[in-house]
Amino acid sequence: MAEVIDRRALRTRKALHSALMSLILRKGYEATTIQDIIDEADVGRSTFYGHYTGKEDLLRNGFQILRRELTDAQRAARAGTDGAQDEPLGFSRAMFEHAAGYADVYLAMVGGRGGVVAISELRKVLSEFVRKELPAARDDGAVSRELVVQFVVGTLLTVLTWWLERRPGLTPSQADAMFRRLALNGAGASIRTRSRVG
Amino acid sequence: MAEVIDRRALRTRKALHSALMSLILRKGYEATTIQDIIDEADVGRSTFYGHYTGKEDLLRNGFQILRRELTDAQRAARAGTDGAQDEPLGFSRAMFEHAAGYADVYLAMVGGRGGVVAISELRKVLSEFVRKELPAARDDGAVSRELVVQFVVGTLLTVLTWWLERRPGLTPSQADAMFRRLALNGAGASIRTRSRVG
DNA sequence: TATGATGATGAACACCATGTTCGGTATGGT
DNA sequence: ACCATACCGAACATGGTGTTCATCATCATA
């Protein structure tokens, strides 16, 4: 887990990660067996266990890569626009863009195919970002800060899922607009049309 | 799956369901094996397979019970208040009350312990309810109706999870109030406090 | 209360994934 | 060229799976 230098080890790890990805896309995480992974990656059984303790370990490890990529995308976006987006929830845009690039992977994670692990890990990563984005949201007595964070993350995932599953035609910025609207203003405007039949 | 009449069959099914519940609470769904279930339920291996095709089948089946209970609670609540709650999202209150009664089970489902199956099944049940509650929400060009449904369900689950995991002391009606506020008005009010350091 | 039907039992089965061990081989860094 | 180290692959014990079958218990009726 510490400093990996040897090329052979790197090769092996990459092979295992991409094998797991292919398999998740093909048959889902739960249904994927370690046997499948090492077959797909052409790696010896003992080699696998030399690197990871099991498939969950392998998957969790993969999310560190995602975290890094997202952080970079974040920085790049911020630099590109001269730091002009201090808007609330300014980070979401870069996220939707990133998701557009890896639509198949995100779709697998966000649909059921990544198992509980993927969802909870994704939530964890997103929570970090959102928490950074809401540095001083006042904890008005009504709704606690942590609940707001969870709410924003939940909305992000809802829009993301809906986008990838049912409206893949939309652009990232369109999806982002819907996210912002829901997260900031809620669904009140779309709901208050109840027939108040006296 | 059809008409079950024989007492013996009913006994067996009940035993299996409650065994699965105990085990999910104790060690989580994924970690629970069929062996565990039939041991806990004191039921023969072949008997299990005579009723269900596997543990997933058993769990899915259990959610039909939940659906029925929720529907009843719904009807009861509506009857109790002389149909006075035509408010938007009026159904949520009964749901939080119900959750308070089975806090441990809900907690297991909503945390990771119920596996992907439980979460997706719970989402399905809740989506039905929400869809019924938003009969004619206008599909304003901005946000599609189905997205609104998913958003409301997501918010419901977010608040539910946060409540059961971190603020179990709150009353159902307090949790419900937070849900309403977030679902209807979003988090804008809690967020627009960014330090706009020029 | 006797009876036929149906459900439950539990042992036995082949099958497959798991996680570990170990002697041997190939490839890396220097 | 050397040696450390990563990989290999076969073998192993373990444990869960899903099925079958003969036997026994319990149910619904007459």
Side-chain angles (χ1 to χ4, degrees), chain B residues 127-162:
Chain B
S127 298
E128 288 176 20
F129 280 93
V130 173
R131 235 176 254 121
K132 265 179 223 148
E133 280 287 318
L134 307 181
R138 65 167 178 284
D139 200 328
D140 46 4
V143 179
S144 90
R145 181 171 131 77
E146 186 56 24
L147 177 54
V148 171
V149 171
Q150 293 309 317
F151 165 74
V152 172
V153 171
T155 304
L156 200 47
L157 286 173
T158 295
V159 175
L160 188 59
T161 306
W162 172 86

Side-chain angles (χ1 to χ4, degrees), chain A residues 185 187-195, chain B residues 88 137-138 184-185:
Chain A
N185 304 319
S190 316
I191 284 183
R192 297 189 227 286
T193 16
R194 301 271 303 171
S195 55
Chain B
R138 65 167 178 284
L184 292 175
N185 304 321

Side-chain angles (χ1 to χ4, degrees), chain B residues 3 24 37 42 44 48 51 70 73 82-83 95 100-101 111 131 156 162 183-184 190:
Chain B
E3 324 75 22
I24 287 181
I37 301 176
D42 272 311
F48 177 93
H51 286 277
L70 259 186
D82 297 308
M95 208 240 112
R131 235 176 254 121
L156 200 47
W162 172 86
L184 292 175
S190 315

Side-chain angles (χ1 to χ4, degrees), chain A residues 4-184:
Chain A
V4 184
I5 0 177
D6 202 309
R7 291 180 196 171
R8 294 171 291 180
L10 283 180
R11 263 187 58 81
T12 301
R13 295 196 171 212
K14 281 192 182 180
L16 287 173
H17 272 117
S18 83
L20 178 59
M21 275 309 154
S22 306
L23 286 164
I24 287 182
L25 293 177
R26 200 179 315 150
K27 47 190 292 194
Y29 171 75
E30 319 271 13
T32 295
T33 141
I34 294 188
Q35 197 63 51
D36 294 334
I37 301 176
I38 64 185
D39 285 351
E40 175 90 12
D42 272 311
V43 152
R45 183 169 203 70
S46 50
T47 305
F48 177 92
Y49 285 105
H51 286 277
Y52 304 100
T53 70
K55 61 172 179 165
E56 178 165 336
D57 190 24
L58 174 59
L59 180 56
R60 286 219 137 86
N61 206 286
F63 274 90
Q64 300 189 1
I65 303 174
L66 172 66
R67 177 182 288 109
R68 233 169 294 143
E69 281 205 17
L70 259 186
T71 307
D72 291 351
Q74 197 59 30
R75 223 191 325 269
R78 216 175 283 273
T81 51
D82 297 307
Q85 76 263 58
D86 256 346
E87 334 156 34
L89 305 183
F91 109 106
S92 62
R93 179 61 184 276
M95 208 241 112
F96 281 103
E97 300 282 1
H98 187 261
Y102 300 85
D104 51 353
V105 180
Y106 272 82
L107 185 50
M109 296 305 168
V110 116
R113 280 179 298 166
V116 196
V117 187
I119 299 175
S120 82
E121 211 65 17
L122 184 53
R123 272 202 130 85
K124 201 191 299 174
V125 173
L126 293 180
S127 299
E128 287 175 22
F129 280 93
V130 172
R131 233 175 256 120
K132 264 179 226 148
E133 280 285 319
L134 306 182
R138 65 165 178 285
D139 202 327
D140 45 4
V143 180
S144 90
R145 182 172 130 77
E146 186 56 24
L147 177 55
V148 171
V149 171
Q150 293 309 317
F151 165 74
V152 172
V153 171
T155 304
L156 200 47
L157 286 173
T158 295
V159 175
L160 189 59
T161 307
W162 172 85
W163 173 39
L164 295 175
E165 280 183 351
R166 348 248 300 208
R167 292 286 190 288
L170 297 184
T171 68
S173 94
Q174 286 175 307
D176 184 45
M178 297 194 179
F179 159 69
R180 286 180 121 64
R181 175 170 167 155
L182 288 174
L184 292 175

Side-chain angles (χ1 to χ4, degrees), chain B residues 3-193:
Chain B
E3 324 75 22
V4 184
I5 0 177
D6 202 306
R7 292 179 195 170
R8 293 171 290 180
L10 283 180
R11 262 187 60 80
T12 301
R13 295 196 171 211
K14 281 192 183 179
L16 288 174
H17 273 118
S18 82
L20 178 58
M21 276 308 153
S22 306
L23 287 164
I24 287 181
L25 292 177
R26 200 179 315 152
K27 48 191 288 193
Y29 171 75
E30 320 271 11
T32 296
T33 136
I34 293 188
Q35 197 63 50
D36 295 334
I37 301 176
I38 65 185
D39 285 350
E40 174 91 12
D42 272 311
V43 152
R45 185 171 200 67
S46 49
T47 304
F48 177 93
Y49 285 105
H51 286 277
Y52 304 100
T53 69
K55 62 171 178 166
E56 178 166 335
D57 190 24
L58 174 59
L59 180 56
R60 287 219 136 86
N61 205 287
F63 274 90
Q64 300 189 1
I65 302 174
L66 172 67
R67 178 183 287 111
R68 233 169 291 142
E69 281 205 18
L70 259 186
T71 309
D72 291 352
Q74 199 58 30
R75 223 193 323 270
R78 216 176 282 274
T81 50
D82 297 308
Q85 76 262 57
D86 256 346
E87 333 157 37
L89 305 183
F91 109 107
S92 63
R93 180 62 185 276
M95 208 240 112
F96 281 103
E97 299 282 2
H98 188 260
Y102 300 85
D104 52 353
V105 180
Y106 272 83
L107 185 51
M109 296 305 168
V110 116
R113 281 179 297 166
V116 196
V117 186
I119 299 175
S120 81
E121 210 67 18
L122 184 53
R123 271 203 132 83
K124 201 191 299 174
V125 173
L126 293 180
S127 298
E128 288 176 20
F129 280 93
V130 173
R131 235 176 254 121
K132 265 179 223 148
E133 280 287 318
L134 307 181
R138 65 167 178 284
D139 200 328
D140 46 4
V143 179
S144 90
R145 181 171 131 77
E146 186 56 24
L147 177 54
V148 171
V149 171
Q150 293 309 317
F151 165 74
V152 172
V153 171
T155 304
L156 200 47
L157 286 173
T158 295
V159 175
L160 188 59
T161 306
W162 172 86
W163 173 38
L164 295 175
E165 280 183 351
R166 348 250 299 211
R167 291 286 190 289
L170 297 184
T171 67
S173 94
Q174 286 175 309
D176 184 45
M178 299 197 178
F179 159 69
R180 288 179 120 61
R181 172 167 169 157
L182 287 174
L184 292 175
N185 304 321
S190 315
I191 285 182
R192 299 190 225 284
T193 15

